[in-house]
Amino acid sequence: MDPLRTLWETFFDWDSMREALPEMLTVGLPNTLILAVSAALLGSVLGMVLAVAGISRSRWLRWPARVYTDVFRGLPAAATILLIGVGLAPLGMQVWGPDPYPLGILALSLIAAAYIGEIFRSGIQSVEAAQMEGARALGFSWGEAMRVVIIPQGVRRVLPAWVNQLIALIKDSSLVYFLGLVASQRELFRIGQDYAATTGNESALLLAGLFYLALTVPLTHVVNAIDRRLRYGRAAGAPEDEIEDADLALPGAAGGNQR
């Protein structure tokens, strides 16, 4: 057969997509969002703990944070999910039963924390030392200065990179199917995979990919707009095209940080 015709019939069968669409909307999309958002929240909290520990003067805090980061950044995501999901499965059965989602979320959170911790650490360390000195001169303790002055500025500077990690989590949520999911627990990729196996056509997998694009692409543009607003603001009344031109001219601008 003609290769282009084969490609079209394999990945662009509208009937197969139409058949898979309702289940992806009602089952796959909510489950994917549950996995990604839950892991992002837990990973961000743990990542901030790792970031603060990583810049601590105490080696008893700094070295464990570094070892954790190296281990979970070095392991493949699939290996971490299997280690946590299978290794802790007996404990999970005793606590909440056969539901694999808590362990899947835990595994994704541990992976995300390693990356988010480094993102937050770089943002915190990019804040000028004079900010800490000024806060201490005003009577803030080190902890208060970090919480009120340094950390908010550092997080704002790395907002695009943090959202990049959220995008990676949305895609990594597809790996939770390794733990075994019942029909009501399947996320987007698993539903597409099941339809592809049943029909012998890959169009449902392409539809799942389109759902991932619909989630990640707008998120990228929204965070870029927020980043421009935080860095430039609207008070000066600069036209939008001037703001965008200035954004492109700056090294390390938000758009250039996207992976």
Side-chain angles (χ1 to χ4, degrees), residues 78-99:
T80 302
I81 290 172
L82 286 173
L83 284 171
I84 300 298
V86 177
L88 298 182
L91 177 62
M93 287 288 293
Q94 295 178 5
V95 177
W96 53 71
D99 186 359

Side-chain angles (χ1 to χ4, degrees), residues 157-168 171 216-225 227-228 231 247 252-259:
R157 294 182 180 189
V158 296
L159 182 61
W162 180 84
V163 175
N164 276 343
Q165 189 56 42
L166 176 57
I167 290 172
K171 294 183 290 185
T216 58
V217 173
L219 188 60
T220 300
H221 290 288
V222 167
V223 77
N224 284 343
D227 182 57
R228 285 196 300 270
R231 286 189 288 117
D247 182 50
N257 287 336
Q258 303 303 315
R259 24 175 215 195

Side-chain angles (χ1 to χ4, degrees), residues 211-242:
F211 269 96
Y212 285 114
L213 285 176
L215 290 173
T216 58
V217 173
L219 188 60
T220 300
H221 290 288
V222 167
V223 77
N224 284 343
I226 294 173
D227 182 57
R228 285 196 300 270
R229 180 69 178 268
L230 290 173
R231 286 189 288 117
Y232 298 111
R234 296 282 181 147
E240 187 68 23
D241 55 348
E242 292 182 10

